[in-house]
């Protein structure tokens, strides 16, 4: 065995897998003194190889090696296509951390779980596209099983040793997942995207202030405010109340026919409010939605909703995001959170109020269950600008 040949073998192993390399170096380092005919050369080669092994271990390469395309990155949301017979449904696991996680599938439910014999079907969540299921994942590596049509496939997951998952998975979880999915589709790490419901963005706060100013300019004297207690919603409620106080608009505890409803809740709370408005259980003069409520399942509810946006969903960049999203996760619908994560930055244009309306004869309940088609942000409907720049 020549030193040149040994070097070539090491180079090949580096290209294949650093873990394999480390094991190979260890074996050669131990065996070299017996295999090589020249003792001095044996000791030299063994020393070099043992040193290389030590360097790999010291640098963390055994645990930090770049994963292959089918290997989960510890603690990072996981997006996979699962082979189930002739079908290949997409699934998203968020946040892929120890504890409760959300498994997101498309419109067609699948069954998921950590035991092949105990799978539970995904189901609809309020205000969110597709189907969902909460699954408890242990620390480190484990296996998630996905079943459909009598077939079962396994998906390797790795939650790492990071902080546990959020307890608000069934309320804010789908929006957090949409943001992570936008980042993954763009080719960046979904773990680097914070959950939008954890804080109020400054641009969204300004948009809410401008919305209140618009409402006051229409000589409206009172509004009904709906939040949900999340950190973002609590901060947004404070912003709206302060803006209303400056504009001379009362924030009423009860809804009324002559009062607009301002919604600063997350997707789940907004869905309940809009459905109450649509069926008359909650009285109101239309609904003004926070910017983060731009998502098709919410806009498909006929409740006269308007919302402030700094971009038009018909612009080329938002349409490109929608196309890339659906090419990777066919049943998914675009969202403000997903677009921001995909784009990598907030839009800095002036806010304008946009209105949503359905333009076909399909019942709203059906649209809410199947709100995806092409690159439209509101399939079966339209989102159009209703005002000039807000001040």
């Amino acid at each position: 065995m020549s030193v040149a040949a040994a070097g070539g073998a090491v180079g090949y192993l580096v290209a294949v897998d650093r873990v394999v390399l480390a094991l190979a170096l260890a074996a050669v380092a131990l065996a070299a003194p017996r295999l090589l005919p020249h003792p001095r050369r044996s000791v030299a080669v063994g020393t070099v190889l043992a040193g290389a092994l030590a360097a790999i271990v010291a640098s963390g390469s055994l645990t930090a090696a770049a994963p292959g395309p089918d290997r989960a990155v510890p603690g990072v949301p996981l997006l996979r296509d699962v082979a189930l017979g002739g079908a290949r449904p997409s699934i998203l696991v968020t946040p892929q951390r120890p504890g409760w996680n959300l498994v997101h599938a498309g419109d067609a439910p699948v069954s998921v779980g950590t035991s092949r014999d105990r799978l539970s079907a995904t189901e609809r969540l309020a205000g969110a596209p597709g189907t969902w299921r909460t699954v408890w994942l242990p620390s480190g590596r484990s296996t998630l099983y996905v079943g459909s049509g009598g077939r079962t496939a396994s998906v390797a997951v790795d939650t790492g040793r990071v902080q546990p998952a959020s307890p608000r998975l069934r309320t804010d979880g789908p929006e957090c997942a949409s943001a992570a999915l936008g980042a993954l589709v763009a080719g960046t790490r979904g773990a680097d995207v914070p959950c939008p419901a954890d804080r109020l963005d400054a641009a969204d706060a300004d948009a809410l202030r401008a919305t209140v100013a618009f409402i006051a300019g229409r000589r409206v004297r009172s509004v009904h405010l709906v939040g949900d207690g999340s950190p973002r919603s609590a901060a947004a409620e404070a912003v709206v109340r302060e803006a209303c106080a400056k504009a001379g608009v009362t924030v009423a505890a009860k809804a009324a026919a002559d009062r607009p409803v301002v919604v600063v809740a997350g997707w789940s709370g907004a869905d309940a409010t809009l459905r109450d408005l649509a069926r008359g259980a909650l009285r109101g003069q239309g609904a003004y939605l926070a910017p983060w409520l731009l998502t098709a399942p919410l806009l498909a509810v006929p409740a006269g909703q308007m919302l402030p946006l700094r971009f038009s969903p018909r612009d080329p960049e938002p349409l490109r995001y929608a196309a890339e999203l659906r090419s990777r996760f066919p049943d998914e619908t675009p969202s403000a959170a997903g677009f921001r994560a995909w784009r990598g930055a907030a839009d800095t244009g002036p806010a304008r109020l946009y209105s949503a309306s359905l333009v076909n004869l399909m019942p709203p309940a059906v649209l809410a269950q199947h709100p995806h088609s092409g690159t439209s942000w509101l399939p079966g409907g339209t989102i159009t600008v209703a005002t000039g720049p807000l001040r």
Side-chain angles (χ1 to χ4, degrees):
M1 177 180 180
S2 69
V3 175
V10 168
Y12 172 77
L13 289 170
V14 169
V16 175
D17 195 315
R18 291 185 179 181
V19 175
V20 175
L21 168 62
L23 296 175
L25 286 175
V28 175
L30 294 174
R34 297 182 180 180
L35 296 178
L36 295 179
H38 303 290
R40 292 182 178 178
R41 188 179 301 174
S42 299
V43 173
V45 172
T47 300
V48 170
L49 293 176
L53 172 60
I56 290 173
V57 174
S59 66
S61 294
L62 289 178
T63 58
D70 296 324
R71 189 179 302 171
V73 180
V76 174
L78 178 69
L79 177 61
R80 287 286 182 270
D81 290 336
V82 182
L84 290 170
R88 292 188 64 86
S90 298
I91 65 161
L92 175 70
V93 181
T94 55
Q96 200 188 198
R97 294 179 180 174
W100 288 110
N101 284 254
L102 270 180
V103 178
H104 178 32
D107 288 337
V110 299
S111 296
V112 297
T114 54
S115 171
R116 190 182 292 269
D117 299 325
R118 298 183 63 183
L119 303 181
S120 301
T122 55
E123 59 186 8
R124 297 278 173 181
L125 289 182
T131 57
W132 307 78
R133 194 78 194 184
T134 53
V135 176
W136 179 272
L137 295 178
S139 296
R141 297 181 181 179
S142 61
T143 300
L144 177 72
Y145 295 96
V146 182
S148 178
R151 297 177 179 270
T152 304
S154 61
V155 176
V157 295
D158 190 343
T159 60
R161 307 290 175 180
V162 294
Q163 64 186 25
S166 166
R168 293 178 58 88
L169 287 181
R170 294 185 66 86
T171 52
D172 297 324
E175 186 188 359
C176 301
S178 183
L181 182 56
L184 291 171
V185 170
T188 56
R189 289 164 62 103
D192 296 334
V193 178
C195 182
D198 288 345
R199 56 181 291 271
L200 177 63
D201 181 81
D204 288 346
D206 287 342
L208 290 173
R209 295 186 188 98
T211 300
V212 170
F214 173 83
I215 294 173
R218 299 182 68 186
R219 298 183 180 180
V220 173
R221 294 297 172 232
S222 63
V223 299
H224 178 59
L225 180 60
V226 178
D228 65 6
S230 70
R232 177 183 59 191
S233 179
E237 286 190 60
V239 166
V240 171
R241 290 182 182 277
E242 181 182 5
C244 284
K246 290 182 178 179
V249 176
T250 301
V251 178
K254 295 183 178 180
D258 60 346
R259 289 178 188 146
V261 178
V262 179
V263 185
V264 296
W267 290 5
S268 176
D271 182 84
T273 299
L274 291 172
R275 292 186 183 281
D276 284 346
L277 281 169
R279 68 170 183 265
L282 180 69
R283 302 173 68 192
Q285 193 183 68
Y288 290 87
L289 309 184
W292 55 83
L293 299 177
L294 173 61
T295 180
L298 296 178
L299 299 185
V301 181
Q305 51 270 69
M306 300 180 72
L307 72 171
L309 302 177
R310 298 180 184 275
F311 65 91
S312 169
R314 296 181 177 183
D315 287 343
E317 192 175 35
L319 291 178
R320 186 166 67 252
Y321 151 67
E324 292 183 10
L325 177 67
R326 291 202 179 103
S327 69
R328 188 63 187 86
F329 204 115
D331 286 345
E332 193 68 0
T333 54
S335 72
F339 177 57
R340 180 173 295 183
W342 174 86
R343 191 170 183 263
D347 196 286
T348 57
R352 294 175 170 84
L353 281 176
Y354 284 75
S355 63
S357 60
L358 302 177
V359 294
N360 64 17
L361 299 179
M362 186 179 294
V366 176
L367 281 172
Q369 296 295 311
H370 302 279
H372 51 85
S373 174
T375 58
S376 172
W377 281 59
L378 181 58
T382 181
I383 303 172
T384 56
V385 64
T387 71
L390 300 178
R391 298 179 180 179

